[in-house]
Amino acid sequence: MKWKKGAVSPILAASVLGVLALIAFQLVWMRYSRRLSEELFNQRACMALCSTVENYGGGAVCNKNDSGESCCRLNSADDNPAFDSSFHANLTEQLKFYQIDLGYKLTLSTEKLCEKHPYQCSVSLPTENGENAFINLVFPEKEAFVLQKMNIMVAATILILLFISAILLMANWALMKQKRLLQTNVDFFNNMAHEFRTPLTNIGLATNMLTRKHEILQNNPFLEVIQRENGKLQAQVEQVLQLARLENGDFTLQPETFALLPLLQSVADDMAIQMEEKNGQVLLETIPATLTVWGDRTHLANVFRNLVDNALKYSSDAPPVIRISAASIANGVEILVKDNGIGIPPDQCEHVFKKFQRMREGNLHTQKGFGLGLAYAKSVLQLHKGHIKVQNISPNGSQFDVFLPHKPH
Ligand code: ADP
């Protein structure tokens, strides 16, 4: 997918989403750990209260005394030993032992308040009539106390989040800077190719005029070199510009249904001179004359011209033989272009379709090129909803497999 100038980078969007997800996760986690802290606090408070009740009378607190009175009478809370000063002293000591240094309130009730209010702790005391009474321990400042204990954790979490966000922002900024730089280079490259086009066309026209007007120059070898090399340069420049147009999306396909054989024949004819020079041949095999394809005639012709041109460029010592066959298959038409050239190592088969990728091995230096022909072919076929693959064939050579779907309904 191409990143358009001015659009939000998908990586930046993904980073923002990642940070938001991290913040959400941290919030959930902090809520959970606050609940855990509270539960821990409650447990410690309850343990302190239970120990106090047990220590206070060695169980006497919860049983009838000799006079038959309950120590837990509800109608007279003041009589209850749970509220005398030694009980409070004992409770304060126990709370300190459990690291709770907070003001508290004690109440008696017939119901267990801690079931209704999570901030309370209740210890049951059986009363004389067999019912349960409860001593409830309440901490009015408990929430602030628990939150204060979490302060360090919250601060550390915020710092880590800020750190991660800053790193992601910096990485994105560097990436966008690189992308802008790359885009500038690509624009420069395309503009330069564009500027080369007119002088090259003029050179071509001038050499044609020279050979036409001066018969003596018609077979001049120097002029032939100029014409041939000019033709090569023009083809390279066209390739750069076509790929740029494809990538910028500023061109539309002009699809039509047409017979495949004449198109391939015209490609083979265009390459006839180069073929002759290398003593090669293009064989159009098993292509039914009635076989039609749906697509943009000009761009598809360019695709096959690139494939034949490559087969010629990357030929081995043997005279190049390029076999083109085509057949109608399930959802479209399959066209095979086979050559007997140097072949493409299997591990490079995927990479040769990437822009500027040229094989690192083989007889490369003698062949000029930008590594754009196959990238262009792939883009054109993708626009047709088709595809192109390549495989190495034994004993040598490569086979390009082009698929063009039927006309969509
Ligand atoms: P260019 O030919 O300008 O380098 P292409 O995109 O057409 O760019 O091809 C990419 C690379 O794939 C070539 O550099 C070459 O290494 C390899 N390649 C393409 N076609 C063939 C072929 N028929 N046989 C062997 N290698 C090939």
Side-chain angles (χ1 to χ4, degrees):
M1 192 178 69
K2 192 171 155 20
W3 180 58
K4 296 254 185 235
K5 274 188 260 178
V8 177
S9 151
I11 297 179
L12 180 62
S15 308
V16 171
L17 275 181
V19 170
L20 287 179
L22 203 63
I23 290 175
F25 178 77
Q26 287 295 325
L27 285 176
V28 171
W29 181 75
M30 276 179 354
R31 259 188 86 191
Y32 175 73
S33 75
R34 186 192 144 157
R35 230 182 45 225
L36 271 187
S37 303
E38 268 178 26
E39 271 169 25
L40 203 69
F41 180 94
N42 286 349
Q43 270 176 16
R44 294 206 315 251
C46 275
M47 268 149 63
L49 182 61
C50 285
S51 304
T52 309
V53 169
E54 274 165 23
N55 291 346
Y56 185 75
V61 174
C62 302
N63 295 318
K64 284 182 184 174
N65 60 21
D66 288 340
S67 61
E69 279 180 343
S70 163
C71 57
C72 305
R73 277 186 325 225
L74 296 180
N75 51 0
S76 174
D78 290 343
D79 294 344
N80 198 293
F83 292 89
D84 71 16
S85 59
S86 71
F87 188 90
H88 280 285
N90 203 339
L91 180 58
T92 310
E93 203 174 296
Q94 285 297 330
L95 286 173
K96 271 202 182 124
F97 176 77
Y98 286 104
Q99 294 169 358
I100 300 175
D101 194 6
L102 265 186
Y104 62 84
K105 275 198 270 175
L106 279 176
T107 59
L108 273 178
S109 67
T110 48
E111 53 177 349
K112 208 175 182 178
L113 290 181
C114 60
E115 279 169 6
K116 289 184 181 168
H117 308 283
Y119 304 134
Q120 317 220 8
C121 176
S122 306
V123 165
S124 77
L125 304 168
T127 56
E128 60 180 342
N129 55 10
E131 282 176 2
N132 272 343
F134 295 94
I135 300 179
N136 301 301
L137 179 59
V138 184
F139 296 93
E141 289 159 25
K142 177 182 159 187
E143 200 167 333
F145 180 78
V146 170
L147 284 179
Q148 192 198 348
K149 291 270 172 207
M150 286 180 64
N151 272 355
I152 294 178
M153 199 174 70
V154 173
T157 304
I158 290 174
L159 275 181
I160 291 172
L161 276 175
L162 284 177
F163 183 67
I164 292 176
S165 307
I167 289 199
L168 279 176
L169 271 179
M170 274 158 62
N172 270 288
W173 182 77
L175 193 76
M176 283 200 265
K177 204 171 142 193
Q178 289 296 326
K179 280 198 164 188
R180 269 199 300 273
L181 204 66
L182 186 73
Q183 189 61 44
T184 315
N185 286 345
V186 169
D187 288 347
F188 169 74
F189 194 51
N190 292 340
N191 288 341
M192 201 173 71
H194 201 264
E195 292 306 314
F196 279 0
R197 200 191 209 175
T198 318
L200 287 174
T201 313
N202 290 343
I203 293 172
L205 285 174
T207 47
N208 282 346
M209 293 293 277
L210 269 179
T211 47
R212 234 186 279 162
K213 290 210 166 173
H214 306 280
E215 255 177 51
I216 194 167
L217 290 176
Q218 256 169 18
N219 290 321
N220 185 300
F222 299 116
L223 259 186
E224 273 174 15
V225 170
I226 294 175
Q227 276 175 321
R228 194 178 52 238
E229 296 303 316
N230 187 58
K232 279 187 195 169
L233 269 178
Q234 273 183 310
Q236 299 284 11
V237 164
E238 276 311 315
Q239 210 165 59
V240 172
L241 293 177
Q242 274 167 351
L243 196 62
R245 273 201 296 274
L246 272 182
E247 294 205 327
N248 290 335
D250 56 4
F251 103 115
T252 43
L253 282 183
Q254 313 231 299
E256 54 183 317
T257 302
F258 58 89
L260 182 65
L261 187 56
L263 178 103
L264 294 175
Q265 189 62 61
S266 78
V267 170
D269 293 346
D270 289 349
M271 304 292 296
I273 298 174
Q274 289 105 303
M275 282 291 158
E276 243 175 62
E277 278 173 4
K278 284 208 169 183
N279 212 8
Q281 50 182 329
V282 179
L283 303 175
L284 301 182
E285 298 178 323
T286 60
I287 305 173
T290 51
L291 186 63
T292 57
V293 288
W294 179 84
D296 186 305
R297 202 190 278 261
T298 315
H299 285 281
L300 288 177
N302 287 340
V303 168
F304 292 113
R305 201 171 292 120
N306 279 342
L307 294 184
V308 175
D309 187 42
N310 277 350
L312 200 60
K313 271 186 355 191
Y314 303 107
S315 58
S316 54
D317 296 335
V321 179
I322 299 141
R323 298 171 190 277
I324 307 182
S325 58
S328 181
I329 56 166
N331 303 316
V333 174
E334 187 182 51
I335 304 134
L336 304 181
V337 181
K338 283 189 216 175
D339 64 53
N340 59 344
I342 58 171
I344 299 176
D347 62 326
Q348 307 237 3
C349 283
E350 257 182 51
H351 304 296
V352 290
F353 294 101
K354 292 177 189 157
K355 262 196 328 182
F356 310 119
Q357 292 284 327
R358 309 196 75 211
M359 236 162 48
R360 305 214 185 284
E361 293 162 5
N363 191 16
L364 186 65
H365 301 291
T366 55
Q367 299 306 334
K368 304 282 174 278
F370 293 130
L372 291 177
L374 293 181
Y376 166 78
K378 187 177 174 184
S379 301
V380 167
L381 286 160
Q382 275 175 345
L383 279 176
H384 284 83
K385 307 268 183 281
H387 56 74
I388 180 168
K389 303 185 282 203
V390 66
Q391 52 178 304
N392 206 37
I393 49 172
S394 62
N396 47 23
S398 36
Q399 172 178 310
F400 285 86
D401 184 344
V402 173
F403 171 75
L404 274 171
H406 288 315
K407 180 181 178 180
H409 298 295

